[in-house]
């Protein structure tokens, strides 16, 4: 990044974004159901959730492309709920790139500046700086059809940054790319965001993508916010069973709750967080928390193994027919082939408990 670009980026103050009680209905479908969420200045926040959860609707409301039935959108305390999109200080990058096919890369980046009547020499200089910023300084004269998908998305990112927005909006910008390009570009986006210090909202349904780049991740479900937390907290201390199972891999083991404990795999463990009343429940556990060892008298059986590099994922069928996944170091997994009898246990620490789900 050039010194000039850095100086100009520093002129842009990161904004605080607030969603207050946003509700939006499309016919009988409730897209947002009272969304309350604050994005801190300079924060990279990912909106994560399954299709139809409302994450893109929330982003489009901040961009000005959608308006809520009720509620407010605020930027630095100013109500922008009804402000037209072209008057909002936000840059947006779409999944489909949306580049103009008849314009060169340089002219695509400079397009918004041209609409704002910026002088030709200034807008071309700024566009050239931004092409350099995204590593495409030598591609300025190329047209979109002459660029790869990853390069086109970099051009779209540069175009969004050209107007020096106070908020950057990314609507699943990597989903159309292949795995290697997606990995490289998400790391590049994160680097640029940190370098510029711009408040950023990133919509994705890919949990790995969200956890790897965001300062915080807001998990949404059916138009509501389930939990908003740093990636490590979201993974290690999910607030709800939905978050636990949506973020990362989670197994359900049958148990019975009594008081503040739950009986599972022959022992009693403390319950973590809210839980159903006493009775039949499911205990939710991560693969790395499950312990498996060979045991000739064990009632559980190995169903399958999968090599993951440093670890091996073992799928075990318990005596009651339920299955649990365990991630073991490769040397501990040696000899645990399909059909091997094993003993399964959990560490002595609190566990998340959910309502019992019917077994197939």
């Amino acid at each position: 990044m050039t010194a000039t670009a850095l100086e100009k980026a520093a002129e842009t103050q990161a904004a605080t974004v607030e969603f207050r009680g946003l509700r939006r209905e499309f016919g009988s479908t409730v897209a947002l159901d009272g969304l309350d969420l604050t994005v801190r200045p300079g924060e990279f926040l990912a909106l994560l959730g399954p299709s139809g959860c409302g994450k893109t609707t929330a982003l489009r409301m901040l961009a000005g492309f959608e308006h809520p039935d009720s509620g407010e959108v605020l930027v630095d305390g100013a109500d922008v709920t009804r402000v037209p999109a072209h008057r909002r200080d936000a840059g947006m990058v779409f999944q489909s790139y949306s580049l103009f096919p008849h314009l060169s890369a340089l002219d695509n980046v400079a397009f918004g500046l041209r609409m704002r009547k910026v002088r030709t020499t200034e807008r071309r200089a700024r566009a050239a700086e931004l092409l350099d910023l995204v590593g495409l300084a030598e591609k300025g004269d190329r047209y979109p059809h002459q660029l790869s998908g990853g390069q086109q998305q970099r051009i779209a990112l540069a175009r969004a940054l050209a107007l020096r927005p106070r908020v950057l909006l990314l609507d699943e910008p990597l989903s159309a790319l292949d795995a290697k390009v997606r990995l490289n570009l998400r790391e590049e986006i994160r680097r640029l965001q940190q370098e510029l210090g711009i408040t950023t909202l990133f919509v994705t349904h890919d949990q790995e993508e969200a956890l790897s780049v965001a300062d915080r991740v807001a998990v949404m479900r059916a138009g509501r916010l389930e939990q908003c937390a740093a990636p490590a907290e979201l993974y290690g201390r999910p607030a709800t069973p939905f978050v636990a199972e949506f973020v990362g891999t989670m197994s359900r083991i049958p148990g019975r709750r009594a008081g503040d404990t739950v009986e599972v795999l022959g022992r009693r463990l403390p319950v973590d967080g809210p839980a159903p009343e006493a009775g039949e429940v499911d205990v939710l556990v991560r693969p790395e928390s499950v312990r498996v060892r060979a045991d000739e008298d064990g009632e559980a059986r190995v169903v399958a193994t999968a090599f993951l590099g440093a670890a091996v994922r073992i799928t075990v069928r318990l005596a009651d027919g339920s299955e649990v996944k365990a991630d073991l170091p490769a040397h501990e997994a040696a000899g645990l082939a399909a059909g091997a009898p094993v003993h399964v246990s959990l560490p002595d620490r609190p566990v998340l408990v959910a309502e019992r789900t019917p077994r197939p």
Side-chain angles (χ1 to χ4, degrees):
M1 185 176 186
T2 66
T4 303
L6 278 172
E7 290 168 2
K8 290 182 177 179
E11 296 173 2
T12 301
Q13 295 180 350
T16 298
V17 173
E18 297 175 81
F19 297 123
R20 292 184 180 176
L22 290 185
R23 183 175 180 84
R24 184 71 168 101
E25 298 180 14
F26 296 99
S28 60
T29 301
V30 179
L32 289 177
D33 189 11
L35 176 65
D36 290 305
L37 179 64
T38 298
V39 189
R40 301 160 184 163
E43 181 175 39
F44 193 123
L45 186 136
L47 294 175
L48 176 68
S51 297
C53 71
K55 56 188 185 296
T56 295
T57 300
L59 193 78
R60 289 176 61 83
M61 285 185 180
L62 179 55
F65 301 142
E66 294 281 352
H67 299 296
D69 297 320
S70 60
E72 299 174 318
V73 179
L74 288 83
V75 177
D76 282 339
D79 187 349
V80 299
T81 311
R82 302 297 170 184
V83 174
H86 68 275
R87 293 181 54 197
R88 301 197 188 191
D89 200 359
M92 190 159 182
V93 179
F94 300 92
Q95 175 183 344
S96 59
Y97 317 145
S98 299
L99 299 180
F100 297 107
H102 62 288
L103 296 181
S104 67
L106 184 76
D107 288 336
N108 262 287
V109 174
F111 181 79
L113 299 171
R114 191 177 79 183
M115 293 297 99
R116 293 195 177 183
K117 310 299 183 183
V118 175
R119 290 181 303 175
T120 301
T121 54
E122 182 181 346
R123 71 172 182 255
R124 291 184 70 83
R126 196 185 306 178
E129 286 179 3
L130 285 160
L131 285 175
D132 183 48
L133 177 67
V134 298
L136 294 175
E138 76 287 358
K139 305 289 186 182
D141 60 346
R142 303 287 181 87
Y143 289 86
H145 73 274
Q146 297 174 310
L147 301 170
S148 69
Q151 289 172 336
Q152 290 184 55
Q153 197 59 295
R154 286 171 186 261
I155 299 299
L157 178 61
R159 182 178 61 185
L161 294 171
L163 297 176
R164 300 173 191 158
R166 301 187 64 198
V167 181
L168 178 63
L169 310 178
L170 307 172
D171 187 10
E172 301 202 50
L174 309 178
S175 60
L177 305 174
D178 63 50
K180 186 175 181 180
V181 174
R182 188 164 62 243
L183 176 61
N184 291 337
L185 191 50
R186 82 184 186 199
E187 292 174 350
E188 185 68 11
I189 288 174
R190 179 54 167 160
R191 181 189 67 79
L192 290 174
Q193 187 273 335
Q194 290 179 317
E195 202 167 86
L196 296 172
I198 187 172
T199 303
T200 301
L201 269 75
F202 178 55
V203 163
T204 181
H205 62 272
D206 187 322
Q207 54 176 287
E208 179 184 339
E209 207 165 75
L211 296 176
S212 65
V213 299
D215 296 310
R216 288 190 301 155
V217 178
V219 180
M220 296 182 63
R221 178 191 187 192
R224 289 180 172 271
L225 181 66
E226 289 274 316
Q227 184 177 4
C228 184
E233 181 181 351
L234 200 72
Y235 185 86
R237 292 187 60 81
T240 66
F242 174 81
V243 174
E245 295 186 282
F246 190 79
V247 178
T249 300
M250 189 72 79
S251 297
R252 285 177 173 254
I253 303 177
R256 175 175 288 276
R257 186 185 175 193
D260 294 331
T261 65
V262 60
E263 184 177 350
V264 58
L265 296 178
R267 64 183 309 186
R268 288 196 172 277
L269 297 175
V271 173
D272 185 17
E277 298 298 325
E280 302 291 328
V281 295
D282 281 340
V283 176
L284 307 183
V285 293
R286 299 284 188 199
E288 61 270 22
S289 297
V290 180
R291 298 168 179 169
V292 177
R293 60 176 174 82
D295 184 349
E296 292 185 359
D297 298 322
E299 296 183 347
R301 291 289 187 276
V302 174
V303 175
T305 63
F307 181 69
L308 303 180
V312 175
R313 177 159 294 174
I314 309 291
T315 302
V316 176
R317 180 171 291 119
L318 303 177
D320 66 357
S322 60
E323 292 187 355
V324 60
K325 298 183 185 300
D327 288 350
L328 305 179
H331 69 277
E332 291 185 18
L336 296 181
V342 292
H343 175 76
V344 180
S345 62
L346 299 175
D348 187 14
R349 59 171 181 252
V351 291
L352 191 66
V353 172
E355 292 184 3
R356 174 71 63 86
T357 58
R359 296 300 190 266

